[in-house]
Amino acid sequence: MIFQGGAAERPADPAALAQSRRGAGMWWTLPAVFLLLLHFGERPSSDLDPTWSMVLRWAHLHGLQWGRDIVFTYGPLGFLTPMASYYPGADRLFDVAQILFALGQAAVVALALRAVPGWIALAVIAVVAIWLRGIAGDAAWYATFAFAFAVVVNSAQSVARRRWPLWAALGFLLAAIASIKFTSTVVLALWVSCLVAWCLCRRRYADAAVICGSAVVSWLVIWLASGQELSGLFAYLATSFDIVSGYGPAMSMEADRRLEAFAIAAQIVEMVALVWIVRARYGSWATWFTLAFFGALSFIVWRASLTRADHWPMFFACASLIPLAALCCEGRYRSARSSTVAAGIVVLLSMTAFLATSPATPGAMVSEAGASVAQNLRVLRGLKRFERARKAEWEALRASVKLPRIAETVGRESVDVLMLDQVVALGLALDYRPRPVFQSYQANTAATLRLNEAHFSGDAAPRFVILKMQAIDARFPMQEDGLALAMLLKRYRPRLIEAGYLLLERTSLDAAPITLPPVSAYRESRLGEPIELPQSDSPLLIFADVQLSWLGRLRAFLLREPPLALNLQTQAGEQLTFRLLRRGAQSGFVIAPLLLDARDWTRSPGANADRRAAQVSISPVDSSQANLFAQEVRVALVPFTGPFAMEDHSALEESAAYPGFSQPASDQSAVFDVVNERGHRVVFMHAPAWIEFSLAPGEYRVRGALGLLERAAADGGCIAGHADGVMAEASIRELGTQPRALWQARIDPFAAPADNAERELDIESFHLPRAATLRIAFAMQANNTCDWSYLRDVQIEPVP
């Protein structure tokens, strides 16, 4: 048995002590794990994740208050996440924090591994190396909590003057991690609760007080030290719980069936292995709390990783490390061969899943780990040089954000950016005044939607708003931060369009918050049943109440919530399908007119009647999941009454037109400009960059031209910087499916001189059974040095 209940301590077994002495040499694991976990952030970029991480550092530098000014899944130290993209300011703080976090995590692992044989330490290092790409950040934090639990358990029999300072240091490290991401705060509460209960069961009351007090005091000290007000603590906890509770229903993404089967098998085996390793005995409550911690942690990791299927590497990494951490708990008490076999089975199953689902080969994984260690050593030797390089990359990104008319019009006035391109405000050094939930896809509960609505309805609303319709996961654009967008319709008027961005200016109009309709306004319908929309020149709000069945609620708890589709039919008969957020739909959003891109916002509500939504229905994305929803749907259609600032501004000129394109883009990344190249006007897109076109159902073919700027191949700086070209790609994106590749070409004039010639874009005919998006993208290779890609004369031709 691992632990005995009651007051008496079990004497250490001589064999266990011998094993512990053999494990005492495991300190060599500290530098190995340190160099593997160390990560100095990512290059600045205009993509989704880099953008929010830059805003978090900006918010820290400007003293914003979490829970009031900022509401996000990350906490006041969120800017210190190792995967954060660079933003100038607090550079040395960030770099030193990465070193201290990696060192602290490595020390925790090394301390835990002192109680087990050397082969387990090798297994831990192998898991970290193999899963390196998915372990930085969340996975490493979860594993740190698991190994820290083992350290406390294994040090419980040491004298108080040794164990209490150690536990206080652990509490501070884990509190710092909890201040980075709110999910880790939940895990910290779990860690403290189970260890306090474990101590109380053994009548170690002083130990329980030290564990609880050190964690809580450390968390409060870090809260205050990061510039937060003590009075805002409860608002932070309440808003963070709310945004986390809405994450699962809104952000769920279905996984590949084979991957999901491997994950379910690994989770079941992991839970069985944890029970076998801990081997709880009736009457020994301390042991039950050990099992409760590791079992709950395993389930939290499962949900955090599989809610969005693209997070699966984190699951398999933690599924391997958590049983190994649990194995460390029993090292001092007995040597159980069966327990090590159980842990080994979980590790082997996770590795098998990786090899079966990942395109990477074992050799490539080892090479990547080695390259990461070598890079970390180079950075440690030249930290100032590394920081200068990061600043240069930021300046390059800033230079690529070219919106001169918007910058001149906004001037020194306050501005917010919807939906995701906050890098525009940061790059142009505007007076950025973000709404609390500053990235629209996270506003998906009633409370978060109301917070953002209040931001634009109050007297302190920003003077300008830079709008770009960028709904993620094929969501209906006007539901993404739906109440805030409705408020923009009321209070803001279009000023100009530049490079796909619409600049809105606040008017003197007041606007009351949108209220829920009375119960009598709702009509009962069936899932999938068409609902006719009243035809009017005034905007129309829709409120929808769709409930899960008991089976759907069970699936949502154990795995993820099934997705819903919003099916629209226009007056002209065009069929459009979008992802519908079930919880957000209860708060309402504008369903008509159809506002899908910046141009739609410049037209009066009555313009383009053929494109107005005439009929709507709500159904599961996957028809086989219909039994996961209640079949009755309650829908209310409410006129959105004026006055409106919105009017017909269709004559607004697009300052950065699309040269030679058969249709304007529906969306594009922020890195965008129009230049002269090889005698043509071309769209310059410094990779990584992309541009998208909305297409109706039908048959199409695509023609155009693309390449790298001609001067790149002869540029000495490009050659010295080891420029390696770009990968040009074209794909189709439809709701509920993975992107479908249409065309791909490597362009690398530095390795192949023939690539310096312009490349023809020629995509043979393809069929779209429903509305979809064509994306043309330029992806960077090993680095983005001189990735000066461009695109021109894109002709999207219907095929009869």
Side-chain angles (χ1 to χ4, degrees), residues 43-47 397 400 669 671 684-690 708 725-728 777-781 783-790:
R43 292 184 176 93
S45 166
S46 59
D47 290 340
L397 178 61
S400 69
S669 57
V671 184
F684 172 68
M685 304 165 62
H686 191 300
W690 49 266
L708 254 63
V726 301
M727 182 68 73
F778 294 99
M780 59 177 278
Q781 300 303 290
N783 63 68
N784 67 347
T785 302
C786 299
D787 286 353
W788 299 336
S789 42
Y790 70 86

Side-chain angles (χ1 to χ4, degrees), residues 644-693:
F644 293 97
M646 184 182 180
E647 55 190 55
D648 192 352
H649 292 272
S650 55
L652 287 177
E653 292 186 0
E654 175 89 42
S655 67
Y658 303 94
F661 286 27
S662 61
Q663 69 179 71
S666 58
D667 197 4
Q668 77 270 323
S669 57
V671 184
F672 179 94
D673 198 7
V674 176
V675 299
N676 292 310
E677 174 68 14
R678 306 178 198 260
H680 301 278
R681 296 283 287 168
V682 305
V683 176
F684 172 68
M685 304 165 62
H686 191 300
W690 49 266
I691 190 167
E692 291 183 343
F693 305 90

